[in-house]
Amino acid sequence: MGLGTEIRDKMAKRAAEEIKDGMLVNLGIGIPSLVPNHLPDHHQVMFHSENGIIGIGSTPEAGEEDAHLCNAGGYPVTIRGGASYCDSAAAFGIIRSGLIDVTILGALQVSGEGDLANWIVPGKRVPGMGGAMELAARAKKVIVLMNHLEKSGAPKLVKECSLPLTARKCVHTVITEQAVFTVTAEGLLLTDLFAPYTLIDIRENTDASFSISENLRYIKKQGEG
């Protein structure tokens, strides 16, 4: 099931809270590409792309796209002051050197121990691994943005991934349209709940076991008091 614009922006805004000034951040395609739209104009974050851009800016307005300027997924981007270009070898060298502070990726499944499956569904045609394997292994922090449920209604937060893994025990934070979890040594910790979902909804829609933070935050819809 696709997510509407408001929900996608809600998830991207929450992910932006995890980014601090001075960080070097890699973004996956889809919802992660909306994250720069939710940072203040004066931020000093540099967004990295595997195709060789360091310093991606906000999404261009319709009609303002530059056909020669895109991210690794081929989607149009802007650049901010101080941006630079390099070839893909150097871009992957930055990843392999462990210089990426945060990577924000999509996922097909995440396990309760933070295992990530996001590159293939056996028998089906999907985009492929791309740089995800190296990003998951070398980034200092891995954040997953994904739907809470598959199109079939099955949970994507599972006890053990049934799909081929991209990397083991690499995910630190999971943000869905329903909730936010931190992956701890003891398993998943529910930290945020998005309106209108309840704890009952999260328990019904999550296969992996989880504990609940003492400081659980309830995030209301835009416009609510």
Side-chain angles (χ1 to χ4, degrees), residues 112-114 169 171-172 182-189 209 211:
E113 294 188 334
K169 297 183 179 181
V171 178
H172 298 84
T182 298
V183 182
T184 73
E186 290 74 38
L188 296 178
L189 177 67
S209 59
S211 55

Side-chain angles (χ1 to χ4, degrees), residues 8-219:
R8 290 161 58 88
D9 275 325
K10 174 184 72 176
M11 295 167 65
K13 183 178 180 181
R14 177 59 185 83
E17 293 181 15
E18 302 292 320
I19 297 174
K20 309 303 180 190
D21 251 3
M23 284 184 165
L24 180 60
V25 179
N26 180 283
L27 300 176
I29 61 175
I31 300 175
S33 67
L34 301 177
V35 170
N37 300 343
H38 298 280
L39 291 174
D41 292 338
H42 60 273
H43 73 80
Q44 297 299 315
V45 178
M46 281 293 180
F47 289 100
H48 162 280
S49 180
E50 297 99 298
N51 64 333
I53 304 176
I54 298 97
I56 290 177
S58 58
T59 305
E61 298 290 337
E64 299 295 324
E65 301 93 341
D66 182 339
H68 299 288
L69 193 58
C70 65
N71 61 20
Y75 293 92
V77 297
T78 61
I79 57 171
R80 57 177 297 133
S84 60
Y85 303 100
C86 60
D87 61 20
S88 289
F92 272 88
I94 289 170
I95 298 171
R96 293 166 185 163
S97 300
L99 297 176
I100 301 294
D101 293 298
V102 177
T103 183
I104 304 178
L105 306 169
L108 299 167
Q109 290 178 330
V110 175
S111 79
E113 294 188 334
D115 297 335
L116 172 66
N118 77 340
W119 75 283
I120 193 170
V121 178
K124 294 187 177 180
R125 185 172 182 175
V126 293
M129 185 174 287
M133 180 175 65
E134 297 184 75
L135 286 162
R138 297 298 296 162
K140 296 170 187 172
K141 183 171 185 175
V142 176
I143 299 173
V144 164
L145 288 178
M146 67 176 188
N147 295 37
H148 206 96
L149 300 171
E150 298 178 10
K151 292 180 180 178
S152 65
K156 296 178 69 171
L157 271 166
V158 293
K159 294 184 179 70
E160 293 186 14
C161 295
S162 59
L163 297 174
L165 292 185
T166 306
R168 291 189 181 277
K169 297 183 179 181
C170 63
V171 178
H172 298 84
T173 301
V174 180
I175 300 172
T176 77
E177 77 281 15
Q178 299 188 18
V180 180
F181 296 87
T182 298
V183 182
T184 73
E186 290 74 38
L188 296 178
L189 177 67
L190 176 66
T191 62
D192 301 56
L193 197 58
F194 285 117
Y197 296 100
T198 67
L199 281 174
I200 294 174
D201 296 322
I202 304 306
R203 288 194 174 98
E204 289 179 347
N205 295 333
T206 306
D207 179 56
S209 59
F210 63 88
S211 55
I212 301 171
S213 171
E214 294 179 355
N215 301 310
L216 179 65
R217 180 167 64 149
Y218 190 70
I219 302 176

